[in-house]
């Protein structure tokens, strides 16, 4: 067994539609999205527990029956959310943001 485990910071990729939506948000909201995503890419486990997130952010599985599947990161005290998956490959593990919404 080797110690070649790739840890944080993880690579981050945005689905094109999510990136376009994110870029159209007001600057204040984009700042909150950046803060939330920064927490994900620097966490040892991107599906980190709720209590490790800053105030105003929370994290939960998209479906309780799939705890290692897509997750929802809510920001702006629940007014917005993004859905992401963590693709844990041997080479180049990454977080993929699939969808984002803000109201």
């Amino acid at each position: 067994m080797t110690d070649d485990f790739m840890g944080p910071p993880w690579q981050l990729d945005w689905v094109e539609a999510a990136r376009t939506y994110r870029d159209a948000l007001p600057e204040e909201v984009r700042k909150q999205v950046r803060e939330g995503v920064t927490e994900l890419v620097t966490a040892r486990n991107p599906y980190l527990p709720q209590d490790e997130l800053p105030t105003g952010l929370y994290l939960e599985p998209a479906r309780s029956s799939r705890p290692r599947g897509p997750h929802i990161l809510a920001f702006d005290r629940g007014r917005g959310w993004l859905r992401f998956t963590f693709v844990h490959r041997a080479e180049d593990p990454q977080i993929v943001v699939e969808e984002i919404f803000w109201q």
Side-chain angles (χ1 to χ4, degrees):
M1 185 173 242
T2 65
D3 291 329
D4 293 342
F5 174 72
M6 294 184 71
W10 307 109
Q11 296 294 322
L12 179 68
D13 192 19
W14 291 78
V15 171
E16 187 174 343
R19 179 182 301 133
T20 302
Y21 189 90
R22 176 203 63 194
D23 292 345
L25 292 172
E27 179 57 35
E28 168 97 10
V29 177
R30 285 192 312 242
K31 180 180 178 210
Q32 292 178 40
V33 171
R34 278 192 302 271
E35 289 172 359
V37 169
T38 299
E39 290 293 324
L40 294 176
V41 298
T42 59
R44 184 83 173 144
N45 178 359
Y47 297 149
L48 68 148
Q50 173 86 18
D51 58 347
E52 294 182 25
L53 290 172
T55 304
L57 297 173
Y58 64 88
L59 180 70
E60 62 187 27
R63 292 179 56 189
S64 62
S65 61
R66 297 188 62 206
R68 293 197 159 266
H71 273 59
I72 304 293
L73 175 70
F75 57 90
D76 196 13
R77 301 192 185 278
R79 290 185 59 200
W81 52 263
L82 58 87
R83 185 180 68 205
F84 72 94
T85 56
F86 178 55
V87 183
H88 194 239
R89 301 183 285 237
E91 287 188 33
D92 194 30
Q94 67 180 354
I95 295 170
V96 178
V97 178
E98 300 170 340
E99 190 176 3
I100 185 170
F101 175 79
W102 180 74
Q103 59 182 356

